[in-house]
Amino acid sequence: MLQIGPLHLDSPLLLAPIAGHCDLSFRILCREQGGVGLASTDLLNSRAILNGSAKTLELAATNDLDNPCGMQLYGNYEDPLPEAACWAIDHGAKLIDINMGCPVDKVAKKHGGSLLLRDCASTMRLTESIVEAVRKHSGGRVPVTAKMRLGWDREHFVAPILARDLESIGVQAVTVHGRWTVQFFSGRADWERIGEVVAAVKSIPVIGNGDVTEPHHVIDLMRQTNCAGVMIGRGALRTPWIFRQALEMIRMGDNPNPEGVFAPSFLYKCQMIRRHIDLLTQFAPSERHALHTMRSRIAWYSKTMGPIKPLKEAIRTALSLADMVIAIDSWIELAGEEQEIRQKTACANVG
Ligand SMILES: Cc1cc2nc3c(=O)[nH]c(=O)nc-3n(C[C@H](O)[C@H](O)[C@H](O)COP(=O)(O)O)c2cc1C
């Protein structure tokens, strides 16, 4: 469904890196819902990786359930990005992605991210050294990609030329988030300009990104831009099953019917929350971390679950994962009973 150099993905839909959110547990959760072709780690500091920073190594953690996994690196022209990329390959990365889009001051003022959009000549030299190191280290098995914004600001729409130049030195796909660095996350993503990047490259896939929050947005973005793949970030935090729904729509062809796509029940959503807690129990670096993650995540999940204030409150105030499990299990039980009654009533009505 999407070929990135030597890497074949079963779906053209990618989970976006979202620092602080798309950890190993969440990546596995989204994959299990279906439709995810690739998920990447959140941005990893190249120096911190090589210095063995415990926090960065936690962020880089992956396993067999998280396959294929991309690792996203950031750094500037003086950082050891080629060495960090080789480390990433040795630790499970099936794809190396270079962050050229992070707008956050801490990163973009000094360390990399969107900074790389400001001096494209240096970015080309840096990327060339990464591509070469990765090619040698992996024997050509692992592609290098770049994730960029349109440019620093409206006066510097560098993405089309940069993408084409990166292609010429062996970068095998680019993801374009349709915003300017100075916008951070405000305004709308400009899909038209993503289309201009698609038109600028010769043959590598361009992955469109920005404001895809409903499955049909995937179809709209692909149609409008001709992009080969779509990356979804915040939409997945709310509805991790969006990839499955969008892939079903893609498979429907020219006339996708939103009515015919997977519609998760309330019970399903409760069970998914339980699964997320289980994954955090297994893979989060500590219980404290897991509790913190789930407390913030319940706010996203609740957006599609109607009035669940008592559940939100129970998750927010739980002092242990065991307490969270007790809370969600009671909702699963209730939702299961209600679903059963509804099904019986429906059968009786048909009968
Ligand atoms: C809180 C937050 C953290 C992010 N962290 C990363 C990151 O680590 N690496 C990256 O390339 N993009 C990061 N992004 C950008 C997203 O990957 C994505 O490009 C952006 O959110 C637009 O896509 P969306 O509208 O589907 O969310 C982050 C975005 C947010 C909101």
Side-chain angles (χ1 to χ4, degrees):
M1 286 287 266
L2 179 61
Q3 193 72 29
I4 302 184
L7 184 65
H8 175 81
L9 305 181
D10 291 336
S11 155
L13 305 172
L14 291 80
L15 172 65
I18 299 199
H21 292 82
C22 296
D23 56 14
L24 177 59
S25 305
F26 188 65
R27 296 198 300 273
I28 296 174
L29 184 82
C30 288
R31 290 177 193 278
E32 288 179 350
Q33 304 306 302
V36 175
L38 183 93
S40 292
T41 65
D42 293 336
L43 81 179
L44 306 170
N45 181 299
S46 55
R47 272 187 202 281
I49 278 189
L50 297 172
N51 292 339
S53 145
K55 206 167 161 230
T56 306
L57 297 189
E58 271 161 21
L59 292 174
T62 181
N63 63 26
D64 287 349
L65 299 176
D66 182 34
N67 191 37
C69 173
M71 290 200 191
Q72 189 189 62
L73 305 175
Y74 77 96
N76 66 27
Y77 312 114
E78 278 137 35
D79 283 326
L81 277 155
E83 293 80 357
C86 295
W87 182 97
I89 293 166
D90 292 341
H91 291 80
K94 301 291 190 306
L95 174 150
I96 301 293
D97 187 46
I98 313 298
N99 183 312
M100 301 186 182
C102 182
V104 176
D105 275 1
K106 204 175 90 182
V107 173
K109 282 227 164 113
K110 206 162 89 190
H111 296 293
S114 264
L115 181 79
L116 304 194
L117 300 176
R118 303 202 82 165
D119 177 358
C120 293
S122 301
T123 299
M124 289 295 291
R125 280 194 296 278
L126 172 68
T127 311
E128 208 162 4
S129 67
I130 300 167
V131 169
E132 185 53 20
V134 168
R135 192 186 56 75
K136 274 198 191 136
H137 197 73
S138 72
R141 201 172 34 86
V142 174
V144 175
T145 61
K147 179 165 179 284
M148 62 180 70
R149 288 188 173 228
L150 300 173
W152 188 269
D153 56 29
R154 283 180 184 280
E155 283 69 52
H156 300 92
F157 181 28
V158 298
I161 293 174
L162 183 59
R164 198 191 56 205
D165 290 350
L166 290 172
E167 176 177 25
S168 75
I169 58 163
V171 165
Q172 289 179 306
V174 293
T175 302
V176 184
H177 172 195
R179 283 189 174 83
W180 312 98
T181 302
V182 291
Q183 269 184 288
F184 280 70
F185 295 94
S186 67
R188 298 286 309 158
D190 186 339
W191 290 0
E192 206 173 309
R193 293 203 196 233
I194 295 176
E196 291 183 44
V197 183
V198 176
V201 299
K202 275 197 187 143
S203 60
I204 57 168
V206 171
I207 296 150
N209 167 242
D211 298 344
V212 171
T213 53
E214 298 293 337
H216 70 87
H217 293 163
V218 167
I219 310 291
D220 298 344
L221 179 56
M222 287 178 129
R223 282 198 179 142
Q224 192 176 323
T225 65
N226 257 331
C227 64
V230 172
M231 181 178 274
I232 305 174
R234 290 162 297 177
L237 298 182
R238 194 171 59 100
T239 53
W241 52 84
I242 189 173
F243 303 94
R244 171 177 173 179
Q245 293 175 317
L247 189 60
E248 285 176 1
M249 288 183 87
I250 291 172
R251 287 187 174 145
M252 284 175 194
D254 283 347
N255 295 308
N257 170 19
E259 308 267 297
V261 303
F262 171 67
S265 65
F266 184 78
L267 172 62
Y268 180 96
K269 292 174 188 176
C270 291
Q271 286 166 332
M272 194 206 66
I273 293 172
R274 167 69 201 255
R275 177 65 182 149
H276 198 168
I277 297 172
D278 288 346
L279 288 167
L280 285 166
T281 307
Q282 279 187 69
F283 300 121
S286 66
E287 181 165 21
R288 200 167 148 260
H289 186 105
L291 288 170
H292 175 78
T293 303
M294 193 40 81
R295 282 180 195 139
S296 73
R297 207 50 69 84
I298 192 68
W300 287 93
Y301 292 151
S302 68
K303 289 180 201 292
T304 70
M305 293 178 73
I308 58 158
K309 212 169 163 199
L311 174 62
K312 271 163 73 177
E313 212 42 41
I315 297 280
R316 281 201 191 121
T317 54
L319 295 175
S320 68
L321 287 167
D323 284 350
M324 278 190 184
V325 167
I326 291 171
I328 189 65
D329 278 355
S330 65
W331 281 72
I332 289 175
E333 203 179 318
L334 265 177
E337 282 166 10
E338 277 174 21
Q339 187 160 305
E340 206 174 309
I341 293 168
R342 266 200 309 277
Q343 277 164 355
K344 278 188 185 147
T345 316
C347 285
N349 287 343
V350 170

